[in-house]
Amino acid sequence: SIGLYLISLLAAEKLRLLPAAEAARRISETISTLEMLPKWQGHLYSWYDTRTLEPLPPPFVSSADSGQLAVCLTACAQGLRALLPALPETLHDLPARADALAEAMDFAALFDKEAELFWVGVHPGQPNETRSHYDLLASEARLLSFYAVMTGQVSLRHWYRLGRIPVRIRRGQSLLSRNGSLSEYMTPLLFQPPVPGTLLNFALKAALRQQQSHRPGGVYGVSESGCHAFDPELYYQYRAFGLPSLAQRSDPPDNVVAPYASILALPLDLRRGFQNLLRLQNMGMEGPMGFFEAADFSEKQHGFQIVRSHMSCHQGMILATLCNVLCDQYIARLFSDLPSVQAYRLLLQEKPGRLRGAVRRPRRKFPPLPRGKAVRSAFPSTHTCWAAEAPPGSSMRRAAGIWPETDGC
């Protein structure tokens, strides 16, 4: 959220919604606060008490959030350098301070060297036996992986450990994601413009078409968001909604549509995305502060419920994407045009080739495998897999995709 706030200020300045001096003043105040916050290995904790600036218990560091913050700080530094002629001399050190915060993050501390994958997160001071990994290319954590490789903090091999599991959908193939949410595929587009003719571009477009075919209430954009359910303190609950046809899970498809998700996808389909936003407007999904968080169609007998809140990170994504669409990928180019990023641009230009072993979502659920039963790997030369420990069906190490040895799938 903090990183996207910094980027939003640059987007607002570019769109002439905010004077350069005011944007820089707000960025300066934010960076001053970031410099004061307690950190672990240079990383911000996920939650702080805003009154004391102390981490909220239990202390936790999110790998994906840290990767996105590092990218935001790097892009912010570039945007500030472009504004220097319009800023007072007292603010000319802002780019270096933003870069210093990013460079202080030790991503090796979040990396599992044996698996060559990033942990989802770290509870400092606690053992790591139960931690899971980010192991898919179709993930918002793709920014984390790219940044860590680009800065030399992890080896290039890590990029090719990310699973490229093809999943068969209604019109073609995409890549499997964890939850099937639109934001998993589209968030990296904020800083990495789509490259035509590549594996990622084909996969993202196919995932978008699949989302566009699922239209509760005539609108699309199922993604992680708030929903019309409440915790004991009557705050909206937040969940990772998605489509099972794109996900590792096989639950029924979710019917919570978030406007920010279809806005994230505007660089891939501007016409349908704009039409979708007009429909959301006509449904009453826009208020004085912009689009509301989501439209919840879960209770069909009641039509839909508007989730009347605004999440700062999602509003930041909206403003940054609109700036990219209207200003020739301005925000994305602040990061992607850096020489250090250009040096690794071939990672994003991987060709699709022929996607073999596509997963078709099973029509029925299969019982857990008995303990010790072998399963086939999508990459059998990598290792042998056994369903030997909880959770059932989990891989011992590096397989990108496994399934029971049966003809039912």
Side-chain angles (χ1 to χ4, degrees), residues 179-185 207 210-212 214-216 219-225 239-244 246 249 252-262 276 295 297:
N179 298 307
S181 66
L182 195 54
S183 63
E184 287 179 283
Y185 293 88
Q210 186 72 1
Q211 285 267 352
Q212 289 171 337
H214 180 73
R215 291 174 173 264
V219 290
Y220 69 87
V222 176
S223 193
E224 60 179 69
S225 69
R239 297 175 186 169
F241 298 106
L243 301 186
L246 296 168
R249 60 186 178 87
D254 294 313
N255 292 314
V256 179
V257 173
Y260 86 92
S262 59
N276 196 56
F297 295 87

Side-chain angles (χ1 to χ4, degrees), residues 1 15 44-45 51 79 118 130 135 226 241 248 252 294 310 351 358:
S1 296
L15 294 168
L44 295 185
Y45 293 97
R51 297 162 297 180
F118 277 101
T130 59
D135 57 356
F241 298 106
Q248 292 175 326
H310 301 277
K351 298 301 180 183

Side-chain angles (χ1 to χ4, degrees), residues 100-154:
L101 285 167
E103 292 166 1
M105 297 184 191
D106 179 9
F107 285 96
L110 302 172
F111 192 68
D112 182 349
K113 293 181 180 178
E114 183 180 358
E116 296 180 316
L117 295 169
F118 277 101
W119 303 110
V120 168
V122 171
H123 288 280
Q126 295 186 18
N128 62 3
E129 285 82 0
T130 59
R131 297 184 206 161
S132 56
H133 299 94
Y134 284 114
D135 57 356
L136 295 173
L137 186 65
S139 166
E140 70 276 12
R142 189 164 70 248
L143 281 174
L144 158 71
S145 295
F146 186 91
Y147 183 86
V149 170
M150 176 195 84
T151 55
Q153 298 190 54
V154 302

Side-chain angles (χ1 to χ4, degrees), residues 200 219 221 244 294 297 346 403:
L200 279 172
V219 290
F297 295 87
L346 289 178
W403 55 86

Side-chain angles (χ1 to χ4, degrees), residues 38-57:
K39 304 175 184 67
W40 179 81
Q41 303 290 342
H43 298 279
L44 295 185
Y45 293 97
S46 287
W47 305 282
Y48 291 87
D49 186 318
T50 56
R51 297 162 297 180
T52 65
L53 301 186
E54 290 300 314
L56 292 175

Side-chain angles (χ1 to χ4, degrees), residues 7-8 40 42 57 102 119 167 180 218 223 257 275 316 321 334 340 367 380 382 389:
I7 292 301
S8 295
W40 179 81
W119 303 110
V167 57
S223 193
V257 173
Q275 291 172 347
T321 300
L334 290 177
S340 55
T382 306
E389 300 292 340

Side-chain angles (χ1 to χ4, degrees), residues 105-381:
M105 297 184 191
D106 179 9
F107 285 96
L110 302 172
F111 192 68
D112 182 349
K113 293 181 180 178
E114 183 180 358
E116 296 180 316
L117 295 169
F118 277 101
W119 303 110
V120 168
V122 171
H123 288 280
Q126 295 186 18
N128 62 3
E129 285 82 0
T130 59
R131 297 184 206 161
S132 56
H133 299 94
Y134 284 114
D135 57 356
L136 295 173
L137 186 65
S139 166
E140 70 276 12
R142 189 164 70 248
L143 281 174
L144 158 71
S145 295
F146 186 91
Y147 183 86
V149 170
M150 176 195 84
T151 55
Q153 298 190 54
V154 302
S155 72
L156 187 61
R157 287 169 55 89
H158 160 64
W159 185 261
Y160 297 101
R161 292 297 183 198
L162 298 175
R164 293 147 170 80
I165 306 174
V167 57
R168 200 169 296 165
I169 54 179
R170 181 176 298 179
R171 289 186 291 174
Q173 292 182 350
S174 184
L175 292 178
L176 194 72
S177 65
R178 183 181 294 260
N179 298 307
S181 66
L182 195 54
S183 63
E184 287 179 283
Y185 293 88
M186 304 300 165
T187 297
L189 293 180
L190 289 170
F191 303 99
Q192 296 173 331
V195 182
T198 61
L199 171 65
L200 279 172
N201 199 55
F202 277 114
L204 267 58
K205 285 189 172 182
L208 177 57
R209 289 195 300 270
Q210 186 72 1
Q211 285 267 352
Q212 289 171 337
S213 69
H214 180 73
R215 291 174 173 264
V219 290
Y220 69 87
V222 176
S223 193
E224 60 179 69
S225 69
C227 60
H228 199 260
F230 303 90
D231 65 14
E233 296 181 352
L234 297 181
Y235 289 106
Y236 286 117
Q237 293 187 359
Y238 187 88
R239 297 175 186 169
F241 298 106
L243 301 186
S245 55
L246 296 168
Q248 292 175 326
R249 60 186 178 87
S250 57
D251 304 323
D254 294 313
N255 292 314
V256 179
V257 173
Y260 86 92
S262 59
I263 291 177
L264 279 175
L266 285 177
L268 296 180
D269 193 340
L270 185 59
R271 182 177 62 84
R272 288 187 179 87
F274 185 66
Q275 291 172 347
N276 196 56
L277 295 177
L278 290 178
R279 293 190 190 99
L280 288 166
Q281 279 184 323
N282 292 334
M283 291 165 51
M285 282 294 296
E286 190 178 32
M289 296 173 61
F291 280 107
F292 291 117
E293 173 68 3
D296 192 333
F297 295 87
S298 300
E299 299 179 7
K300 295 182 179 179
Q301 65 271 26
H302 300 300
F304 71 97
Q305 300 289 337
I306 297 177
V307 181
R308 297 181 182 273
S309 66
H310 301 277
M311 291 199 66
S312 58
C313 58
H314 296 164
Q315 295 298 317
M317 290 176 177
I318 288 173
L319 189 55
T321 300
L322 293 178
C323 183
N324 278 336
V325 170
L326 296 172
C327 301
D328 190 27
Q329 295 290 332
Y330 175 72
I331 295 298
R333 287 189 291 107
L334 290 177
F335 179 73
S336 62
D337 284 354
L338 285 169
S340 55
V341 176
Q342 286 290 306
Y344 286 89
R345 67 185 184 278
L346 289 178
L347 295 182
L348 305 175
Q349 296 175 10
E350 181 178 343
K351 298 301 180 183
R354 183 180 179 184
L355 296 176
R356 298 183 178 182
V359 176
R360 186 188 295 276
R361 307 313 305 174
R363 294 186 179 180
R364 61 187 176 89
K365 294 185 177 180
F366 292 88
L369 290 173
R371 208 174 262 274
K373 182 173 180 179
V375 294
R376 288 186 289 132
S377 167
F379 301 96
S381 61

